[in-house]
């Protein structure tokens, strides 16, 4: 019988002529598999498949490089409002963090009111 798993896939984003800032993308994806090992294998397959290289609007080469799966969590029970992920943030600038959260919340409220 298959179970659900939540995997965090990590990618490095390399942009030609941009040595100052390093970018990493973390993606949470759901997998179904009979064992954690098969879920992990599926996550690695998807990660490799998602690698790509393209030219951005500034004609710089951009490469998405799959780094690996940094987390794999079994989702034993799926229920309305059930917790699937939690992350604690530490900051010396709580005002900026709270402002960012409020802006995202307001954007989601606007999006959902337009979508209805």
């Amino acid at each position: 019988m298959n179970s659900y798993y939540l995997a965090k896939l990590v990618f490095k984003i390399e942009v030609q002529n941009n040595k100052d800032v390093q970018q990493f993308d973390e993606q949470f994806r759901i997998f179904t598999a009979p064992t954690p090992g098969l879920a992990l294998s599926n996550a690695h397959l998807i990660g490799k498949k998602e690698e790509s290289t393209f030219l951005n609007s500034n004609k710089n080469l951009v490469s998405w490089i799959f780094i690996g799966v940094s987390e794999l969590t079994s989702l034993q029970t799926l229920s309305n409002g059930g917790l699937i992920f939690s992350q604690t943030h530490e900051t010396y600038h709580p005002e900026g963090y709270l402002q960012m959260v409020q802006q995202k919340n307001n954007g989601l409220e606007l999006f959902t009111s337009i979508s209805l």
Side-chain angles (χ1 to χ4, degrees), residues 43-57:
H44 278 278
L45 288 172
I46 293 291
K48 290 302 286 180
K49 182 178 152 200
E50 295 285 322
E51 288 185 324
S52 65
T53 301
F54 57 91
L55 290 176
N56 66 11
S57 59

Side-chain angles (χ1 to χ4, degrees), residues 8-114:
K8 179 163 73 169
L9 284 65
V10 180
F11 295 84
K12 181 177 183 184
I13 305 167
E14 291 184 349
V15 180
Q16 181 182 25
N17 299 326
N18 183 10
K19 303 298 180 205
D20 296 332
V21 177
Q22 295 287 305
Q23 291 182 317
F24 295 89
D25 187 68
E26 298 177 338
Q27 301 179 359
F28 289 89
R29 295 184 179 230
I30 293 178
F31 293 90
T32 60
T35 67
L38 284 174
L40 183 60
S41 293
N42 289 338
H44 278 278
L45 288 172
I46 293 291
K48 290 302 286 180
K49 182 178 152 200
E50 295 285 322
E51 288 185 324
S52 65
T53 301
F54 57 91
L55 290 176
N56 66 11
S57 59
N58 295 326
K59 304 288 189 234
N60 291 323
L61 193 64
V62 177
S63 297
W64 279 62
I65 302 162
F66 178 61
I67 302 300
V69 178
S70 64
E71 296 179 34
L72 183 69
T73 304
S74 175
L75 302 174
Q76 296 296 329
T77 57
L78 295 177
S79 61
N80 188 32
L83 179 66
I84 59 169
F85 176 74
S86 175
Q87 185 174 14
T88 302
H89 294 272
E90 292 184 16
T91 180
Y92 291 104
H93 307 287
E95 302 83 15
Y97 178 77
L98 293 171
Q99 181 181 9
M100 182 260 316
V101 170
Q102 191 62 47
Q103 287 174 341
K104 287 183 175 185
N105 181 69
N106 292 343
L108 287 173
E109 288 177 357
L110 177 64
F111 174 76
T112 57
S113 67
I114 291 172

